[in-house]
Amino acid sequence: MVRARGQVRDGFPDAARLARFPQLAVQSAGSALIAVGVALTGLADGPVGYTASVVTWSLGEVVVAGIAAGVFANLAPAHARGRYQGAFTWTWGTARFGALTLGVTTYTALGPAALWWTALIAGTATAAATLALKARIARRTAHELVA
């Protein structure tokens, strides 16, 4: 309930403010918030801790909402934007399903600590990798603007 209320109340106005910043920096920051928030679940031992966890990763989700799709739209040639968005959406959904399945398996087989530490490490590594793409994406968009 806290998560849904916060996203509906805060998510949409923040999108306009976040649009002023570079997309990959926003995506990376949001991804890091998600990683930290999910990992905080492993430290939570009561309602306050769980609420802090949910608020943190939900804030991250609000931050990244639409950014990745925007990056793909900017990279796609005009005539192929629908295909790029379709492939992106399919991949994103498949990854979420895989993450849920892998998360349950990790939690069951290796224990909760392994899950929360893996979420933190993988999530922050992904945030860093997103920033590392900045130069490649800049070259690609510059090339397409010239062409």
Side-chain angles (χ1 to χ4, degrees), residues 2 20 24 51 57 69 78 113 123 140 146:
V2 170
R20 296 179 296 184
L24 292 181
T51 300
W57 59 261
R140 168 113 183 234
V146 173

Side-chain angles (χ1 to χ4, degrees), residues 6-61:
Q7 281 189 325
V8 169
R9 185 190 69 232
D10 299 333
F12 301 111
D14 289 340
R17 283 186 288 237
L18 292 173
R20 296 179 296 184
F21 300 103
Q23 287 180 318
L24 292 181
V26 172
Q27 177 74 27
S28 181
S31 295
L33 279 171
I34 293 169
V36 169
V38 170
L40 282 174
T41 306
L43 300 175
D45 64 352
V48 173
Y50 288 114
T51 300
S53 169
V54 171
V55 167
T56 303
W57 59 261
S58 294
L59 180 60
E61 285 186 342

Side-chain angles (χ1 to χ4, degrees), residues 94-111 114-116 118-119 122:
T94 302
R96 288 181 68 99
F97 174 77
L100 291 171
T101 305
L102 185 59
V104 170
T105 303
T106 301
Y107 188 92
T108 303
L110 303 174
L115 174 65
W116 307 125
T118 300

Side-chain angles (χ1 to χ4, degrees), residues 51-145:
T51 300
S53 169
V54 171
V55 167
T56 303
W57 59 261
S58 294
L59 180 60
E61 285 186 342
V62 167
V63 169
V64 302
I67 296 291
V71 170
F72 274 82
N74 292 340
L75 288 172
H79 69 280
R81 286 195 176 128
R83 287 191 304 267
Y84 273 58
Q85 289 299 320
F88 166 71
T89 302
W90 183 85
T91 303
W92 190 275
T94 302
R96 288 181 68 99
F97 174 77
L100 291 171
T101 305
L102 185 59
V104 170
T105 303
T106 301
Y107 188 92
T108 303
L110 303 174
L115 174 65
W116 307 125
W117 280 109
T118 300
L120 179 63
I121 292 165
T124 53
T126 301
T130 299
L131 280 180
L133 292 173
K134 185 177 179 182
R136 290 185 70 169
I137 289 175
R139 280 193 306 271
R140 168 113 183 234
T141 54
H143 173 70
E144 295 217 355
L145 291 175

